[in-house]
Amino acid sequence: MMKDTVSDMRKHIWRDDTVSVNRVTDEAEQRADKKVQQLQEQFQQEVGRLLSRQSSTDARVAQIGDEIKNLVGRAINESRRAETEAREETLRENIVNIIKNSRRGSATLVQIGNRLADKYPGTDIVDELFKMAHEDIVTWHGAPSELSPDNQIRLVQK
């Protein structure tokens, strides 16, 4: 009977983790898709603007070709940035939710890291916590430039 109970508990835990991972991935993808869609709209508007200025001279066509190359390069860089921003925003929301849902209203770096380890590298988690502290979203006792594994990280009351 004990073995069945433990087995049922494991199934429940594993299922919840899978749902959580899928939900986080879906949120990040949705944000990235939205940002990329906005970039595509801007790209289309700029290409339309460039083509409307087109004249029949070869020099002008070459100039427009160069402008389009620059535009494509910028679009690629912007889409990369959009993907990174979406991932960072999702990480930030996950950190806030972990702290909000904790019993004490705070969580340690170890607790946050353990909850997000399968989704994000530890360095990304720490970097985001420092950004959030700099923006007065979270705080902990001690120096703001140092974060130990046992610091209780809390949301700043606004």
Side-chain angles (χ1 to χ4, degrees), residues 43-58:
F43 179 76
Q44 289 172 348
Q45 289 173 356
E46 289 193 42
V47 167
R49 181 182 55 80
L50 290 173
L51 293 177
S52 69
R53 295 186 331 192
Q54 180 182 8
S55 65
S56 61
T57 66
D58 288 338

Side-chain angles (χ1 to χ4, degrees), residues 42-89:
Q42 290 173 354
F43 179 76
Q44 289 172 348
Q45 289 173 356
E46 289 193 42
V47 167
R49 181 182 55 80
L50 290 173
L51 293 177
S52 69
R53 295 186 331 192
Q54 180 182 8
S55 65
S56 61
T57 66
D58 288 338
R60 186 74 177 140
V61 171
Q63 181 184 4
I64 290 174
D66 289 340
E67 289 181 28
I68 289 175
K69 285 179 188 176
N70 290 335
L71 189 58
V72 168
R74 197 174 91 220
I76 291 169
N77 290 334
E78 290 292 322
S79 67
R80 286 182 185 157
R81 187 176 57 84
E83 187 175 330
T84 300
E85 285 176 0
R87 185 167 171 79
E88 288 174 356
E89 289 169 1

Side-chain angles (χ1 to χ4, degrees), residues 95-140:
I95 291 171
V96 167
N97 287 334
I98 289 169
I99 295 170
K100 279 183 179 177
N101 294 327
S102 67
R103 291 181 192 156
R104 294 180 168 179
S106 66
T108 65
L109 176 59
V110 171
Q111 291 168 330
I112 294 169
N114 286 342
R115 294 274 307 272
L116 299 175
D118 59 334
K119 302 169 195 107
Y120 300 96
T123 55
D124 288 357
I125 295 168
V126 171
D127 288 347
E128 193 62 34
L129 283 167
F130 279 115
K131 286 180 194 174
M132 292 171 73
H134 180 72
E135 296 171 14
D136 291 326
I137 297 170
V138 297
T139 188
W140 55 82

Side-chain angles (χ1 to χ4, degrees), residues 3-17:
K3 186 177 179 182
D4 291 338
T5 302
V6 171
S7 178
D8 289 342
M9 288 171 55
R10 281 186 184 145
K11 286 179 186 175
H12 179 73
I13 290 170
W14 289 116
R15 185 180 68 239
D16 286 348
D17 285 347

